[in-house]
């Protein structure tokens, strides 16, 4: 199946009757990338306008509905280890209910931490100035004590990350040149059963529009074995990882969003080869798209 950019397939461009001269693939790639970026920018602007009309109570109500969808999924109930994003106070689905339930249920909860890699790291078609690791949040009391960043997002302190268990199975940051690969117990074995994914928008094809930095796409490509894109996750939970830094089974990926972040059938998010679909989307109206 061919990928398309903004409804324009590679074959349709190459075979268009007006294209009587050979087209250089590099130029074609740049053209499609430019078109895709413009289309994504327009979609982000549209979603921002939609979200600006929501008040705090509406966001809270929708967030509770969407989180309850995930709480009732077998993939959540059976998960021993999962990643949950820590939410902004506005303009996206909140995750407080999920974080607290997971910690109280004894699940291992991993949350995002962004940092500059120690060496050049290329992903998503370009060099990444910052990368994301998923680090373990140890308790609900620690969660309550997290400081908030400039966006109002509860965030791990930079001075604490070196000794934290990461989702890869070791400790510390995996691309900072100082990771610690030994572990104290089998509880530190890496792996994720479920990743709760944020987005600016999702479409009917379960494609995801992020903020443009590519943090989740780059992490999932590093994390998952062979970078597979076709994944029948929702039929059964994936097997657990067995060793540190070895390829791991792909976790279930479930999007979480407000109703206003679901695109209609008339919209298709432009995608590239490094973009990851989700397996399902929990929506603020209490529905699940899959």
């Amino acid at each position: 199946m061919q990928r398309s950019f903004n409804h324009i397939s590679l074959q349709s461009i190459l075979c268009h009757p007006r294209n009587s001269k050979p087209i250089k693939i590099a130029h074609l790639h740049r053209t499609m990338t430019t078109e895709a970026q413009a289309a994504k920018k327009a979609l982000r602007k549209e979603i921002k306008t939609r979200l600006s009309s929501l008040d705090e109570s509406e966001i809270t109500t929708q967030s509770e509905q969407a989180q309850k969808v995930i709480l009732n999924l077998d993939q959540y109930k059976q998960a021993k280890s999962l990643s949950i994003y820590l939410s902004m106070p506005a303009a996206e689905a909140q995750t407080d209910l999920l974080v607290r339930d997971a910690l109280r249920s004894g699940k291992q909860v991993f949350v995002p931490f962004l940092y500059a890699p120690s060496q050049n790291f290329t992903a998503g078609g370009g060099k990444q100035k910052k990368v994301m690791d998923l680090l373990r949040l140890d308790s609900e009391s620690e969660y309550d004590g997290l400081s908030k960043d400039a966006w109002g997002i509860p965030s791990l302190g930079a001075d604490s990350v070196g000794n934290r268990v990461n989702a890869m199975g070791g400790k510390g940051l995996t691309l900072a040149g100082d990771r610690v690969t030994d572990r104290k117990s089998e509880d530190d074995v890496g792996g994720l059963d479920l990743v709760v994914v944020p987005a600016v928008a999702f479409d009917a094809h379960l494609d995801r529009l992020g903020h443009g930095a590519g943090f989740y796409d780059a992490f999932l490509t590093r994390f998952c074995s062979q970078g597979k894109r076709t994944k029948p996750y929702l039929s059964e939970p994936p097997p657990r990882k067995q060793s540190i830094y070895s390829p791991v089974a792909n976790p279930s990926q479930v999007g979480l969003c407000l109703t206003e972040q679901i695109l209609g059938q008339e919209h298709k998010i432009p995608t590239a080869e490094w973009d990851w679909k989700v397996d399902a989307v929990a929506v603020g109206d209490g529905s699940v798209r899959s």
Side-chain angles (χ1 to χ4, degrees), residues 117 119-129 131 175 218 221-222:
Q119 298 179 346
N120 289 340
F121 177 72
T122 301
K127 185 183 297 185
Q128 297 284 107
K129 293 182 179 180
V131 293
L175 293 175
T221 298
R222 286 197 294 131

Side-chain angles (χ1 to χ4, degrees), residues 128-140:
Q128 297 284 107
K129 293 182 179 180
K130 283 193 173 183
V131 293
M132 183 181 78
D133 267 334
L134 297 176
L135 304 178
R136 192 167 70 186
L137 184 64
D138 290 325
S139 67
E140 189 173 0

